[in-house]
Amino acid sequence: MTQNAILFIPDISGFTEFVHHTDITHSRHIIAELLELLIDANTMNLELAEIEGDALFMYKLENHVDVLTIEKQIEAMYLAFHKHLKRYEYQRICHCGACSSAYNLKIKFVVHYGEIEFIKVKDSKKPYGSHVIQIHRLLKNNVPLEEYAIFTESVLPVNEENQLIAEYDFGTITFTYNPLSHLKEKLPEIEPIPDNVPKHKLFDETQLVKIPALELYEVISNFDYRLLWTKGVDKLEYDKNKVNRAGQKHKCLINKNEEVEQTTITKAVGKNQLVYGESTKNVPFTKRMNNYFILEETEHDYTKLRVEVFADFKPFGVLMKPLMKRNIKKAISENIKELIQLIDSGFSTKK
């Protein structure tokens, strides 16, 4: 049985190069977040037929086409996509190829209308037919823009100014393409990450570690490796599907029943330095406590690792400062020792 349907594909451009030339783990997480955002921005109640690597194939059974509604849908997804990338550029703390080049990703849309059938595979049904083939072929085209929306003539009457005719093995398709870059004017301002360091310094130690700075940064900032070198933490709870970034929260279980929530932070450092930080409000006698790992690569793949701890105290909490300094020095010095031993054992994040 055939039914009329709007066929809709948002496609992330630059995906192939992004994946092949960057860290595969972080690129996978970043693309997954972007695809989830597009799904969440589904104002038209489109059905998701398939996640196709860097694209979503969506459809809606409909006997007529409302172009204005489709354009609003495209705008909602476009703004959600670029708002996320804009915020991500502010919040990222990782300097790998994927995280530092995510802002280069683009998005395009293809919209088509026609009759479809459904094919059932186990418990799922998928749109099927010649129009499904046509919309997918249109992903490869000669549009002279990086970001655009394609509307076939079954959706929108052809605009001669932005008209193209694509030739495929089954024949030709005439379509109009509309630029999308003007929509960036509607993006909200994204506030930069606050850079406020607590007043009291409780710890400051520097060690030389035989590992390149970027790899050491991954060991420190990636929660997958945290329990390999951090003592006193029984369990770590965090979102395994997201790349760690400023503002992201995680929980540490200490002494088997004490739960401590920490937030990833950053601060300004020197030009050739990397910084990773965490802040918590759970430490007794303090309003908050921040610890920072500052990395600077030296010659022969060594990294100078500096660890700093700062705190703002509650009223009269400053009286505990000498005791806290001793306890922090003992705990962090042991963790640094464990970290160096882990690196010296031949551990590597490069699988």
Side-chain angles (χ1 to χ4, degrees):
M1 175 182 174
T2 60
Q3 296 174 274
N4 293 324
I6 297 169
L7 304 178
F8 186 93
I9 297 181
D11 176 49
I12 299 175
S13 301
F15 171 80
T16 302
E17 183 178 357
F18 181 66
V19 169
H20 286 307
H21 294 89
T22 62
D23 179 90
I24 186 65
T25 302
H26 286 195
S27 64
R28 184 178 70 244
H29 289 324
I30 292 169
I31 293 297
E33 285 183 46
L34 289 169
L35 291 175
E36 287 176 10
L37 275 171
L38 296 177
I39 292 171
D40 290 342
N42 178 10
T43 59
M44 272 182 60
N45 294 318
L46 295 155
E47 297 288 337
L48 178 63
E50 198 79 56
I51 297 175
E52 301 174 339
D54 55 347
L56 302 174
F57 175 35
M58 311 176 85
Y59 69 95
K60 185 175 184 179
L61 298 177
E62 194 69 77
N63 287 322
H64 71 281
V65 176
D66 185 339
V67 176
L68 182 59
T69 299
I70 295 173
E71 289 177 335
K72 287 182 177 179
Q73 173 64 84
I74 289 172
E75 179 176 320
M77 287 187 173
Y78 183 89
L79 292 177
F81 179 86
H82 281 288
K83 182 180 178 181
H84 183 77
L85 289 183
K86 193 174 180 181
R87 181 182 289 116
Y88 187 79
E89 186 60 20
Y90 274 123
Q91 294 179 342
R92 71 177 179 86
I93 50 92
C94 179
H95 297 262
C96 76
C99 293
S100 59
S101 65
Y103 69 91
N104 287 321
L105 293 170
K106 310 294 181 184
I107 188 167
K108 61 187 180 184
F109 298 85
V110 183
V111 188
H112 185 43
Y113 182 75
E115 291 185 339
I116 62 170
E117 296 182 79
F118 288 95
I119 183 171
K120 191 168 183 179
V121 181
K122 290 191 174 181
D123 295 327
S124 63
K125 64 176 185 177
K126 307 293 183 184
Y128 178 79
S130 62
H131 290 286
V132 173
I133 296 172
Q134 289 175 34
I135 188 172
H136 281 87
R137 295 290 177 84
L138 278 167
L139 290 170
K140 302 296 183 183
N141 56 68
N142 294 319
V143 175
L145 300 172
E146 289 187 317
E147 296 189 305
Y148 54 85
I150 281 178
F151 301 91
T152 61
E153 57 185 342
S154 62
V155 177
L156 185 68
V158 172
N159 179 340
E160 292 186 7
E161 182 179 352
N162 293 335
Q163 175 189 345
L164 283 177
I165 299 175
E167 294 186 7
Y168 300 101
D169 51 358
F170 53 79
T172 61
I173 302 179
T174 303
F175 62 86
T176 295
Y177 65 89
N178 290 345
L180 299 176
S181 58
H182 66 282
L183 293 176
K184 285 187 178 179
E185 297 174 3
K186 297 185 178 183
L187 284 172
E189 289 296 323
I190 305 296
E191 293 296 323
I193 302 298
D195 186 9
N196 50 347
V197 178
K199 180 180 178 181
H200 298 271
K201 180 178 280 191
L202 304 181
F203 182 84
D204 189 338
E205 182 177 315
T206 301
Q207 293 282 352
L208 204 58
V209 188
K210 187 172 174 49
I211 188 175
L214 281 175
E215 191 168 354
L216 180 58
Y217 192 95
E218 177 71 3
V219 177
I220 292 171
S221 64
N222 191 327
F223 297 137
D224 290 346
Y225 309 126
R226 182 60 59 86
L227 297 183
L228 297 177
W229 58 275
T230 304
K231 297 298 180 183
V233 178
D234 302 306
K235 186 180 178 183
L236 204 65
E237 295 181 0
Y238 59 97
D239 191 337
K240 297 180 184 295
N241 296 315
K242 292 185 178 180
V243 180
N244 191 7
R245 69 191 61 167
Q248 187 162 322
K249 299 183 184 299
H250 65 276
K251 293 180 180 179
C252 301
L253 187 65
I254 301 173
N255 300 325
K256 297 185 178 179
N257 57 12
E258 184 181 348
E259 197 173 82
V260 176
E261 184 176 84
Q262 294 183 305
T263 304
T264 299
I265 56 173
T266 186
K267 72 166 184 170
V269 292
K271 182 179 180 181
N272 298 318
Q273 295 177 326
L274 307 175
V275 62
Y276 172 75
E278 293 175 349
S279 181
T280 179
K281 298 180 180 179
N282 297 76
V283 180
F285 309 110
T286 71
K287 296 177 182 178
R288 60 174 178 150
M289 181 180 289
N290 293 4
N291 61 288
Y292 300 95
F293 297 86
I294 302 166
L295 291 71
E296 183 175 355
E297 192 160 315
T298 62
E299 295 180 356
H300 308 300
D301 287 337
Y302 275 87
T303 298
K304 186 188 297 182
L305 171 64
R306 181 176 181 179
V307 184
E308 301 175 337
V309 180
F310 298 84
D312 283 331
F313 287 95
K314 294 178 180 178
F316 305 108
V318 72
L319 298 175
M320 302 300 296
K321 184 176 177 179
L323 177 61
M324 292 183 69
K325 289 181 73 171
R326 289 196 296 270
N327 291 340
I328 288 171
K329 178 177 176 60
K330 180 182 178 182
I332 295 184
S333 295
E334 288 180 357
N335 286 339
I336 294 175
K337 182 179 178 181
E338 291 292 329
L339 177 61
I340 292 174
Q341 287 180 349
L342 177 67
I343 301 302
D344 289 346
S345 72
F347 175 82
S348 174
T349 61
K350 297 176 181 178
K351 301 294 189 293

